[in-house]
Amino acid sequence: MTAVPGLSHLRERPSRTGRPGASGHPGRRWTDPRHPVTAATLLAAALHLVWGLFLAAEGGDLAAQHAWTHFARSHPDSPYALFWYGGMHPASYSVLSPHLMAWAGIRTVACVTGTLSATLTAYLLVRYRAPLTLPAALWAAFSLSCNAAAGRVTFGLGLFFALIATVVALSRRGAPCRAASR
């Protein structure tokens, strides 16, 4: 029996036949499209790809993302941005986001962080046995896709890092961090 690394604390619900998973392997549940983590990941990926490839317009918050990306690409070590509302320090917007978007692309960052955020949200819902886990995970995937469609890429990136921090802080390895803060 193979275990999914880092997810051994999650217990699989027995199937109607009483066997864990269709083939008896606990790792197979993650490949089941009805599993909340898999379903949320697939839905978020599909919605983000449709948005990124066909629907993304260059208006709204995406215009701001383009401006900051262009600034980060043109002046990577500049301490002050005079083009934004008469001037502001780039770190007051984001230290990482403009440079990451300049390197990977705005739509790529939006699609990847939105999809992975949906995955992490569904993982947390499953891990803490939230009621109605599948609808909640699918709603989170849809909501994160709406966030990307609104052009809020920097917020999506920050949310992604916040979800990673939550998963780490609530893991067994994160337990020493919680104990030290008491």
Side-chain angles (χ1 to χ4, degrees):
M1 193 156 74
T2 59
V4 178
L7 301 177
S8 59
H9 60 282
L10 293 177
R11 301 290 180 235
E12 183 175 26
R13 295 180 189 141
S15 66
R16 291 183 188 148
T17 62
R19 296 183 302 134
S23 63
H25 297 292
R28 300 278 181 181
R29 66 186 168 161
W30 296 101
T31 60
D32 181 10
R34 293 169 298 182
H35 191 278
V37 175
T38 307
T41 303
L42 292 175
L43 179 63
L47 291 174
H48 279 94
L49 285 175
V50 166
W51 169 78
L53 295 174
F54 304 112
L55 302 175
E58 300 303 322
D61 280 356
L62 275 182
Q65 305 302 327
H66 279 288
W68 279 107
T69 301
H70 176 73
F71 177 77
R73 191 178 292 130
S74 301
H75 312 287
D77 56 349
S78 178
Y80 207 74
L82 295 174
F83 75 95
W84 196 258
Y85 292 109
M88 72 185 272
H89 194 282
S92 64
Y93 177 75
S94 174
V95 175
L96 179 65
S97 179
H99 300 285
L100 183 62
M101 290 186 297
W103 176 74
I106 297 168
R107 293 179 189 182
T108 303
V109 171
C111 292
V112 170
T113 58
T115 301
L116 293 177
S117 293
T119 303
L120 291 171
T121 302
Y123 168 77
L124 289 168
L125 290 168
V126 168
R127 181 173 176 190
Y128 293 101
R129 297 185 176 114
L132 302 171
T133 306
L134 181 61
L138 293 177
W139 185 254
F142 175 73
S143 300
L144 289 163
S145 300
C146 291
N147 181 63
R152 296 175 46 86
V153 183
T154 301
F155 173 80
L157 182 64
L159 178 64
F160 173 64
F161 285 123
L163 288 167
I164 290 174
T166 303
V167 169
V168 170
L170 298 177
S171 70
R172 288 188 194 122
R173 290 185 177 193
C177 296
R178 290 193 314 257
S181 67
R182 291 181 194 170

